[in-house]
Amino acid sequence: MDSTLGKDQSWIPKVIKKKTCSTFLEDTTTQSKQPLCQCGNPKACHNSVATEDNFGAAIVSRWNTAEHTTEEPTDAFGDIEFFGKGRIHGKFVRLSSDTDPAIVYTLITQFWGIPPPNLVVSVVGGEGSLKMKTWLKDILRQGLVKAAQSTGAWIVTSGLQVGIGKYVGQAVRDHAMANTRSTAKVVAMGIAPWGIVYKKDRLVNPKGSFPVQYTVGSDKEADHALDDNYSAFLLVDDGTNNRMGGEIQFQARLEEHILTQRTGIGGRGSIEIPVLCLLIKGGPNMLERIYKATMNNIPWLILAGSGGMADILAEVMVKSFTAETLKEEVEGRIRKHFPSEDVHSLVELVEKIFENKHLVTVYNADLDGTEEFDTMILKALFKACKKQSTNAEAYRDELKLAVAWSRVDLAKSQLFNGEILWKSCDLEDPMTAALVNNKPEFVKLFIDNGINMVEYLSYRRLEELYSSVAGNSLLHTFLQKKKEERRSLQGKEATLLPDSASIDGSHRSYTLLEVMKVLKDLMGDFNEPMYGQLFKQTDSRKNELLLKPQELPYQTRKCASPWTDLFIWGVLQSRNEMATYFWEMGGESVSSGLVACRILREMAHHQPEAEGAQVMKEMAAKFAQLSLDVFNQCYRHNEKRAFCLLVRQCPLWGRATCLQLATEADAWNFLAHDGVQALLNQIWWGEMDRNTETWKLCLAFFCPPFIYSKLIKFSNSTEEQITEKTVSDLDSIDGDLLIQPSEVSCGSEADVRVKPSNARPFWMTRWKQFWGAPVTSFFGNVIMYFAFLFLFAYVLILDLPLASPSRMELILYFWVLTLAFEEIRQTFFVSMNISMKKKVKLYYQDMWNKCDILAILMFIAGVICRMFSSWFEMGRVMLCLDFMVFSFRLVHIFAVNKQLGPKIIIVGKMMKDVFFFLFFLGVWLMAYGVATQGLLYHTETRASWIFRRVFYRPYLQIFGQIPLDEIDAARFHSKCSTGNLTTGLEDELSPCTNAYANWLVILLLTIFLLVANILLVNLLIAMFSYTFNKVQEKSDIYWKFQRYNLIVEYHKRPALAPPFIILSHIHIFIKRNIRKVPTVKGTLFRMDLSEAVTNRLMTWEAVQKENYLVSRNRIKRESNMEQLKRTAQKVDSVLSYITDIREHDRRLRVLEKQVDYCTEALKWLAESLLQSDLIRNNRAPPTFTGPSSKKDSKP
């Protein structure tokens, strides 16, 4: 609601009225100094028209609010601030008793900002100077108010500091003090007669009060003052003064109107608002109100033991009576408690109320306790709506109410106990409510009781779920941003995708187009966008891709994978339990967990709140661990099938593989798993023996004929390779799923049978086996890179003439050119169907690629400068620095080594500590250098010398080079410039050192060395130690993660190393562009299986996931905490059984009394008949013979 609309309440006097007496009828029953009208107001308060109507007063003897009042615009409304209570603002309005309740309800919910209730509890009964017992106060505070807070209910009383309204206000205050959360506010509303309100004149302001200062006095009349613990006051004006009861009819009409309203979880408007009346004590006048309410199907909850009429009704409703016994019992009790009342009329009302016994529930604190008051309220509503039908449609509202109150226990016991036949369509609306409001217990309950998720979840309903996200959530921000971007691209007039109506009446509605774009931003560009099959791409004017829907009917289609769609929906909203449940129910568990990890970690970077970001990070770690645990279960069962899971392209996630997802999600623990490392080792060595020594590889590299000898062992010989295995062998889920390039290939080659006639000769096959292995490519690149560095160093030191380039220098140029060609190939000629801009962006994400580009650009710049004699030295400097950059590239090469790799990671982490250390050192060094320069050489004007003495000399002093001849006055040089010499000599000599305050210079030197050498250096050592200990624990994981990237890089590289790599580039160009032969090398990291094989593999993965969940649940059940929970549940069950036994015992006692009564009556009847002459029978009447007497009578 707009804030200006909420503040502008000038319409209230035009719509809402007050009542004033229009006819003065003198009240002759009261003795007063001034004449009083029967309305309760003195004659002076009436206008001239009311007092001059003598004719009307003569013919009418009894005043009536309907005939003797007129309505005028209300003059009391606005905000009320209670003096001395802080800034406690409430809303109030004076209104006529005939006001339309729909207007009042709109005023409360839309203009006063009070949210619509899920329940209205009207507390009645205790009036006047009520003395509340301690246990009754506990009922109000721990039961009623707590239940109202948990269910979002309105508590309606008189709102005055008298009677039951006073104690309800105290309970609301105590609950607010005990629970300081903003969401724990309880809405208490007062409906009181205007005529009895204390100091009501202060509330009068025809223009409204915003706010009005309201002071509560200490006199006797202050009992009817407004209570500051209430949120709103409806002051009903029926034209009377100092009289109660004028608000009863309006309150009843308001309750009837609320019954017709619908609220709902998330604003869906699917639940009728129930109204419940709570009776505490009460007098005889309550019976009429109870009877009228029950006629309108409004349930009542009677508080037994509170006294008055509540105790009478409680005993009547609990016991079983016949019509005659009921009348006698009620008549006796009413005569005992209310002897002066009309007993006959009261008994008739009780009998009528007894006919609607199902609408009256008795609450006994001794039996039910104060902690389960909300449960009792819901049971009362269930009892009032209890039907004898087994049709589920009759119980929909009760189910929705249970969802709104999060009472899954009552839903199980009352609605899902097997008596009601629930259909899938009956559970759809409650399912939506449970999803929107994050009720995972109800989601599980509905799924267990037969809701069909395939039929339930359509794309339109999925869009409704995304449209119902909270307005303050991060997902809402993302969706709103994408929606605004779409509108800006489409323009104001063009409407490529119409906005569907919002489910909550607002303008916020989203489509899967926005969801797809959000997922694309969170997932990255390495895979195809989710829901992309629903849309097509067209070029826009800005040469960007603008997605349009193929057809609107896509919204009516059912979701192909409902569990996955709901899983993503739960992950995007950071709903831990909900997302975990959908992950358990869905398929592709390993890849789904990695996708969730990627999404959550990316969302954590955009979350502005630290707490929310931490929750997302914890969820990401949880799903990464779940994926790891399931993969571990798969790997222990069958290694080769687990390898298939890692490299299989997942159509569900844009044809990405689990290895890709783990890399993008930074799931380092997953990549460090033994199964992943085993696959990487298999790919790294290819078909060579993994135990091959390094010297054998080097020997075969320089002498290729050794490849055909037995120097190097290969795991598969030529005869083993030439088999008749096909991809159809993978169709057997019981067999091994082999990962071999010759068996599975991409595209149309997937179904090609490898026949002996198509096999290559032995020499060609062995040649490809050796040079096609990534390990060979790696060692070749290492050897040739060392040769490149040796050549580069030789040229820089010995063979860089000023004249034209030498032969060795030209070879170096060609070598660097081949390196540049390889970087160009890695940047633009990758096998990914993405734009050039994204390819460049993806390339520059790697730090080592940036290092390569920097080295090549510096080399080009150095060569250009070297070609000109005037820039020759500059070129030499550039090439020398470039050599350092090329040498630094060795760090990445040796990251694959198991001993050096972790140390390289530790060094990289320590470099960050060095930068922080240099910051502190630089600040202290500059402070000391400037101070000493100003004290010793204040006449120095040479900029180079100033820089040396301010920064360079203090830095050397840290390492012990302390020039005492320039610092200590006792050892100053005699030759110096005083400023009186000629200009030439003055430039050669340094200015004389200032001896003034030389002791301060020595002191500063001491402090500087103390801080720099002891404090800062030891701080750096401590930082290094902390970093080392922190990284050392996970250095193996970090190293394995980097090793994966290195293996992927060298797997994609050509077999030959620079400069011979130019031959590989030519071969690739001819093979791909001229011969049109697709690559099969990528199948080791990307496998495209047939649909049948995929289904069987997913079935096997689902079985392993179920085995993992069973084992996890078994471990959880065996834990001490779970055993304690089960013990507590058993104790609760025993207590429930004991309560039932007590109830049965009470009923048996009542039945026993009735049997005794019947026995006595029959005995009396028998004796009377015997004494009379009506029946003549010589035989004596039969006597009762029990089981024991029968046994005794047997011989």
Side-chain angles (χ1 to χ4, degrees):
M1 182 183 64
D2 192 5
S3 60
T4 59
L5 185 61
K7 294 180 180 179
D8 184 14
Q9 299 183 13
S10 59
W11 60 272
I12 292 180
K14 302 177 184 178
V15 179
I16 299 178
K17 307 296 181 179
K18 68 175 182 177
K19 277 190 175 184
T20 57
C21 181
S22 60
T23 304
F24 178 78
L25 297 178
E26 186 174 356
D27 188 1
T28 58
T29 60
T30 59
Q31 296 179 358
S32 178
K33 296 180 180 180
Q34 54 180 345
L36 292 178
C37 180
Q38 293 183 18
C39 67
N41 290 306
K43 187 175 182 180
C45 296
H46 292 71
N47 54 29
S48 59
V49 177
T51 56
E52 293 176 358
D53 189 9
N54 297 323
F55 177 77
I59 63 176
V60 179
S61 61
R62 189 174 183 83
W63 189 88
N64 190 343
T65 183
E67 299 178 359
H68 302 124
T69 58
T70 58
E71 291 188 347
E72 299 177 358
T74 183
D75 55 359
F77 62 93
D79 301 338
I80 181 171
E81 180 179 352
F82 294 91
F83 182 77
K85 301 294 184 178
R87 295 187 59 84
I88 300 178
H89 285 188
K91 306 290 185 179
F92 75 97
V93 64
R94 176 186 180 183
L95 49 88
S96 170
S97 58
D98 298 330
T99 304
D100 186 1
I103 298 176
V104 180
Y105 184 77
T106 303
L107 173 67
I108 296 172
T109 57
Q110 296 187 15
F111 290 89
W112 284 358
I114 298 177
N118 292 325
L119 167 70
V120 175
V121 180
S122 182
V123 185
V124 297
E127 297 155 347
S129 57
L130 173 67
K131 293 184 179 180
M132 185 74 71
K133 300 177 183 179
T134 303
W135 68 272
L136 286 176
K137 294 181 181 179
D138 294 337
I139 289 292
L140 294 178
R141 182 176 63 255
Q142 301 178 9
L144 175 63
V145 177
K146 182 180 177 182
Q149 185 270 326
S150 62
T151 59
W154 287 358
I155 302 178
V156 179
T157 67
S158 64
L160 304 178
Q161 292 185 355
V162 65
I164 192 63
K166 173 183 178 180
Y167 294 101
V168 171
Q170 292 177 357
V172 172
R173 178 198 61 196
D174 297 341
H175 184 272
M177 295 177 62
N179 196 339
T180 57
R181 296 179 301 167
S182 60
T183 58
K185 184 178 180 181
V186 177
V187 178
M189 190 173 303
I191 302 179
W194 166 262
I196 68 169
V197 176
Y198 174 73
K199 292 184 179 180
K200 55 181 175 293
D201 296 337
R202 294 188 177 183
L203 304 177
V204 176
N205 187 351
K207 296 182 179 180
S209 303
F210 303 99
V212 61
Q213 293 288 338
Y214 188 78
T215 306
V216 179
S218 59
D219 52 352
K220 186 177 181 180
E221 295 180 358
D223 291 343
H224 293 88
L226 301 180
D227 197 316
D228 59 282
N229 297 301
Y230 285 76
S231 304
F233 300 92
L234 302 179
L235 307 178
V236 182
D237 186 5
D238 62 345
T240 62
N241 185 35
N242 294 327
R243 293 185 183 180
M244 296 292 294
E247 81 286 357
I248 296 178
Q249 294 183 358
F250 171 78
Q251 183 173 349
R253 290 190 294 110
L254 180 62
E255 292 172 354
E256 293 176 9
H257 175 75
I258 293 177
L259 279 174
T260 62
Q261 302 302 304
R262 301 182 74 88
T263 186
I265 319 174
R268 296 187 56 83
S270 58
I271 303 176
E272 292 182 354
I273 301 176
V275 177
L276 176 72
C277 295
L278 174 64
L279 177 62
I280 300 177
K281 197 175 180 180
N285 60 335
M286 284 291 106
L287 291 178
E288 183 70 23
R289 184 171 181 179
I290 295 174
Y291 169 68
K292 291 182 178 180
T294 53
M295 295 302 294
N296 293 324
N297 292 323
I298 295 179
W300 281 76
L301 182 61
I302 298 177
L303 196 57
S306 59
M309 190 57 67
D311 288 349
I312 296 176
L313 291 177
E315 294 180 4
V316 170
M317 296 301 165
V318 170
K319 295 181 180 180
S320 300
F321 295 102
T322 61
E324 295 180 356
T325 58
L326 173 64
K327 185 175 181 178
E328 295 178 0
E329 183 74 17
V330 172
E331 184 175 351
R333 293 184 179 276
I334 291 178
R335 291 185 183 277
K336 179 180 178 181
H337 293 87
F338 306 102
S340 60
E341 300 292 337
D342 186 2
V343 178
H344 180 70
S345 60
L346 294 180
V347 171
E348 290 183 354
L349 288 175
V350 173
E351 290 177 343
K352 293 178 181 179
I353 295 173
F354 191 80
E355 294 176 359
N356 294 322
K357 187 178 179 180
H358 66 283
L359 294 173
V360 181
T361 304
V362 178
Y363 176 75
N364 194 323
D366 295 333
L367 298 178
D368 301 311
T370 59
E371 296 296 330
E372 299 297 331
F373 194 78
D374 55 343
T375 305
M376 203 65 196
I377 292 176
L378 193 57
K379 285 183 177 180
L381 297 174
F382 280 168
K383 180 182 176 182
C385 301
K386 194 71 175 178
K387 297 123 181 141
Q388 300 301 324
S389 173
T390 59
N391 190 1
E393 294 182 358
Y395 299 89
R396 284 183 180 178
D397 286 341
E398 288 73 24
L399 179 57
K400 295 174 184 177
L401 195 62
V403 175
W405 290 11
S406 301
R407 294 311 305 261
V408 68
D409 53 340
L410 292 180
K412 290 180 179 179
S413 61
Q414 301 289 335
L415 302 176
F416 292 94
N417 51 12
E419 299 178 358
I420 305 173
L421 302 178
W422 292 99
K423 298 179 181 179
S424 179
C425 59
D426 299 327
L427 299 176
E428 289 184 355
D429 286 343
M431 181 68 172
T432 304
L435 288 172
V436 170
N437 288 268
N438 194 18
K439 312 280 185 174
E441 299 86 1
F442 279 97
V443 173
K444 298 176 184 177
L445 179 65
F446 297 151
I447 292 174
D448 293 340
N449 284 273
I451 187 172
N452 190 344
M453 295 303 296
V454 177
E455 294 295 329
Y456 164 76
L457 192 64
S458 62
Y459 287 117
R460 183 183 299 278
R461 180 160 283 165
L462 184 61
E463 290 178 348
E464 292 181 359
L465 292 177
Y466 277 106
S467 300
S468 64
V469 297
N472 58 350
S473 62
L474 184 62
L475 176 59
H476 167 70
T477 304
F478 288 159
L479 292 173
Q480 189 65 25
K481 181 180 178 181
K482 295 302 177 184
K483 186 175 181 179
E484 292 175 356
E485 290 179 357
R486 176 169 62 87
R487 285 180 174 177
S488 62
L489 289 176
Q490 293 175 354
K492 296 182 179 180
E493 298 180 358
T495 305
L496 299 183
L497 184 61
D499 296 329
S500 59
S502 178
I503 61 176
D504 57 356
S506 64
H507 297 288
R508 176 166 56 89
S509 61
Y510 305 115
T511 63
L512 292 181
L513 181 59
E514 286 84 18
V515 177
M516 182 192 67
K517 292 183 178 180
V518 170
L519 289 175
K520 188 176 182 180
D521 291 343
L522 295 176
M523 291 289 292
D525 297 326
F526 68 94
N527 63 341
E528 300 175 2
M530 194 174 182
Y531 304 120
Q533 71 276 7
L534 302 177
F535 305 92
K536 61 181 179 180
Q537 298 180 348
T538 58
D539 294 333
S540 65
R541 297 179 180 178
K542 299 181 179 180
N543 295 326
E544 297 179 356
L545 292 179
L546 180 61
L547 298 178
K548 300 180 180 180
Q550 292 180 352
E551 51 183 7
L552 289 179
Y554 86 93
Q555 296 178 337
T556 61
R557 290 161 48 189
K558 305 299 181 181
C559 294
S561 52
W563 297 116
T564 303
D565 295 328
L566 291 176
F567 170 69
I568 292 297
W569 176 79
V571 168
L572 289 174
Q573 296 190 82
S574 302
R575 295 182 174 179
N576 190 355
E577 189 174 355
M578 190 85 75
T580 303
Y581 177 71
F582 290 138
W583 175 84
E584 293 175 356
M585 298 297 295
E588 301 196 13
S589 306
V590 178
S591 58
S592 298
L594 296 174
V595 168
C597 178
R598 163 69 180 180
I599 292 175
L600 289 168
R601 285 183 174 168
E602 189 66 24
M603 291 179 66
H605 296 316
H606 298 85
Q607 177 60 258
E609 298 180 1
E611 184 177 356
Q614 183 63 28
V615 171
M616 293 178 181
K617 292 179 181 178
E618 292 176 357
M619 282 187 62
K622 174 184 176 180
F623 282 108
Q625 186 63 37
L626 287 174
S627 296
L628 178 61
D629 293 340
V630 174
F631 177 74
N632 181 58
Q633 181 75 20
C634 297
Y635 180 70
R636 287 188 302 168
H637 185 266
N638 192 303
E639 294 184 7
K640 294 182 179 180
R641 296 182 195 172
F643 293 164
C644 272
L645 289 178
L646 294 177
V647 298
R648 183 189 70 90
Q649 292 181 348
C650 306
L652 197 60
W653 307 116
R655 306 189 64 81
T657 65
C658 288
L659 289 178
Q660 282 183 302
L661 294 173
T663 305
E664 296 295 330
D666 290 336
W668 293 1
N669 290 329
F670 186 88
L671 292 174
H673 189 268
D674 293 340
V676 179
Q677 293 301 311
L679 175 63
L680 295 179
N681 287 332
Q682 178 178 332
I683 297 174
W684 178 249
W685 287 98
E687 298 179 2
M688 286 188 294
D689 187 9
R690 300 179 184 178
N691 297 321
T692 304
E693 290 82 356
T694 305
W695 67 270
K696 294 182 180 179
L697 289 176
C698 296
L699 183 61
F701 181 82
F702 289 105
C703 298
F706 283 102
I707 298 174
Y708 303 100
S709 65
K710 295 184 179 181
L711 180 68
I712 299 177
K713 295 181 180 180
F714 291 87
S715 58
N716 296 321
S717 63
T718 307
E719 292 78 6
E720 293 174 342
Q721 282 189 356
I722 305 176
T723 60
E724 294 185 357
K725 293 182 180 180
T726 63
V727 181
S728 60
D729 295 337
L730 300 176
D731 291 338
S732 176
I733 197 64
D734 298 327
D736 290 338
L737 301 177
L738 303 178
I739 309 293
Q740 296 295 338
S742 58
E743 297 177 10
V744 181
S745 58
C746 298
S748 60
E749 295 184 358
D751 298 327
V752 177
R753 181 183 300 269
V754 181
K755 298 180 180 181
S757 59
N758 295 332
R760 297 186 179 92
F762 171 76
W763 66 270
M764 185 179 296
T765 302
R766 182 56 57 87
W767 180 271
K768 187 176 182 179
Q769 287 177 343
F770 178 79
W771 293 104
V775 64
T776 306
S777 177
F778 172 75
F779 277 103
N781 277 272
V782 171
I783 295 172
M784 299 308 298
Y785 199 80
F786 273 107
F788 166 73
L789 293 179
F790 177 79
L791 176 62
F792 200 168
Y794 173 81
V795 170
L796 286 177
I797 299 174
L798 301 176
D799 197 5
L800 191 63
L802 182 61
S804 59
S806 62
R807 183 180 302 175
M808 300 301 294
E809 190 175 353
L810 293 176
I811 296 176
L812 178 63
Y813 294 168
F814 176 75
W815 204 316
V816 175
L817 182 63
T818 58
L819 292 175
F821 286 160
E822 175 60 19
E823 297 301 323
I824 294 174
R825 186 196 68 83
Q826 294 181 14
T827 306
F828 299 104
F829 299 98
V830 291
S831 58
M832 296 179 65
N833 298 324
I834 57 178
S835 62
M836 286 294 179
K837 182 180 179 181
K838 293 180 180 179
K839 288 181 179 181
V840 174
K841 181 181 178 181
L842 188 64
Y843 174 81
Y844 276 99
Q845 288 179 353
D846 190 354
M847 184 194 69
W848 297 109
N849 290 336
K850 298 177 183 178
C851 181
D852 294 336
I853 295 299
L854 177 63
I856 294 173
L857 292 178
M858 289 182 63
F859 186 86
I860 294 174
V863 171
I864 293 175
C865 294
R866 178 250 183 279
M867 294 300 176
F868 301 93
S869 58
S870 58
W871 293 86
F872 179 80
E873 294 300 330
M874 177 61 70
R876 179 188 291 274
V877 172
M878 293 287 292
L879 292 176
C880 291
L881 295 176
D882 190 39
F883 179 80
M884 296 179 63
V885 177
F886 274 113
S887 300
F888 180 69
R889 192 64 170 78
L890 287 173
V891 175
H892 177 57
I893 295 177
F894 287 104
V896 74
N897 187 269
K898 192 172 185 178
Q899 285 72 31
L900 294 178
K903 302 303 183 293
I904 292 173
I905 296 172
I906 293 175
V907 171
K909 296 289 184 180
M910 288 182 176
M911 290 299 296
K912 298 180 181 179
D913 297 335
V914 171
F915 284 111
F916 287 108
F917 167 77
L918 290 178
F919 171 76
F920 291 110
L921 180 63
V923 173
W924 181 239
L925 187 144
M926 182 182 65
Y928 168 74
V930 172
T932 55
Q933 176 68 16
L935 290 174
L936 294 176
Y937 303 99
H938 62 278
T939 60
E940 180 66 75
T941 59
R942 295 172 297 179
S944 59
W945 282 92
I946 292 175
F947 180 81
R948 288 184 180 182
R949 292 193 178 108
V950 171
F951 294 102
Y952 181 60
R953 186 174 64 182
Y955 179 76
L956 294 179
Q957 289 175 3
I958 298 176
F959 301 98
Q961 297 185 13
I962 304 175
L964 295 177
D965 295 340
E966 300 179 5
I967 297 177
D968 193 354
R971 304 180 62 177
F972 284 165
H973 289 291
S974 58
K975 294 182 179 181
C976 61
S977 173
T978 60
N980 299 325
L981 301 176
T982 61
T983 304
L985 295 175
E986 197 171 299
D987 294 337
E988 295 177 0
L989 298 178
S990 61
C992 294
T993 308
N994 185 15
Y996 181 77
N998 186 255
W999 61 271
L1000 184 58
V1001 175
I1002 302 300
L1003 180 62
L1004 290 177
L1005 174 64
T1006 305
I1007 298 175
F1008 171 73
L1009 295 178
L1010 178 67
V1011 174
N1013 287 11
I1014 297 178
L1015 180 63
L1016 293 181
V1017 172
N1018 282 279
L1019 175 63
L1020 179 63
I1021 295 173
M1023 293 170 64
F1024 282 169
S1025 300
Y1026 173 77
T1027 302
F1028 182 83
N1029 294 329
K1030 182 180 179 181
V1031 178
Q1032 182 65 24
E1033 299 176 356
K1034 298 182 178 180
S1035 60
D1036 185 64
I1037 297 176
Y1038 296 154
W1039 166 71
K1040 289 179 179 179
F1041 179 75
Q1042 287 193 351
R1043 179 173 177 264
Y1044 164 76
N1045 294 327
L1046 190 69
I1047 292 176
V1048 172
E1049 177 185 350
Y1050 281 95
H1051 172 73
K1052 294 179 180 179
R1053 281 198 174 191
L1056 300 179
F1060 307 107
I1061 198 173
I1062 191 68
L1063 301 177
S1064 297
H1065 290 164
I1066 296 173
H1067 175 260
I1068 293 174
F1069 177 79
I1070 296 175
K1071 190 174 182 180
R1072 300 290 177 266
N1073 296 277
I1074 299 178
R1075 297 177 58 193
K1076 303 296 182 181
V1077 178
T1079 179
V1080 296
K1081 192 172 185 180
T1083 56
L1084 295 179
F1085 283 98
R1086 300 180 67 89
M1087 177 183 293
D1088 190 8
L1089 300 178
S1090 63
E1091 183 177 358
V1093 177
T1094 299
N1095 292 336
R1096 294 172 185 246
L1097 185 62
M1098 291 300 98
T1099 303
W1100 175 76
E1101 182 193 18
V1103 171
Q1104 301 308 315
K1105 179 189 68 176
E1106 292 298 327
N1107 295 336
Y1108 160 72
L1109 294 177
V1110 169
S1111 62
R1112 188 187 66 174
N1113 293 334
R1114 182 176 63 252
I1115 296 174
K1116 185 178 180 180
R1117 286 195 304 270
E1118 294 174 356
S1119 63
N1120 296 331
M1121 185 62 67
E1122 290 298 322
Q1123 291 180 0
L1124 290 175
K1125 288 182 179 179
R1126 289 197 298 272
T1127 304
Q1129 292 176 356
K1130 292 179 181 178
V1131 171
D1132 292 339
S1133 301
V1134 171
L1135 292 177
S1136 178
Y1137 290 146
I1138 292 175
T1139 303
D1140 294 339
I1141 291 173
R1142 292 175 61 182
E1143 179 66 19
H1144 291 311
D1145 182 64
R1146 185 187 62 80
R1147 293 181 179 179
L1148 288 176
R1149 286 199 299 267
V1150 173
L1151 183 61
E1152 185 179 359
K1153 290 180 181 180
Q1154 295 177 354
V1155 171
D1156 292 341
Y1157 168 77
C1158 294
T1159 303
E1160 292 295 331
L1162 292 174
K1163 183 178 180 180
W1164 175 83
L1165 181 61
E1167 291 177 353
S1168 300
L1169 292 175
L1170 288 175
Q1171 295 176 1
S1172 65
D1173 297 334
L1174 296 176
I1175 300 178
R1176 297 292 181 178
N1177 193 347
N1178 297 327
R1179 187 173 62 88
T1183 58
F1184 175 73
T1185 304
S1188 58
S1189 60
K1190 288 183 179 180
K1191 292 180 181 180
D1192 296 338
S1193 62
K1194 290 182 180 181

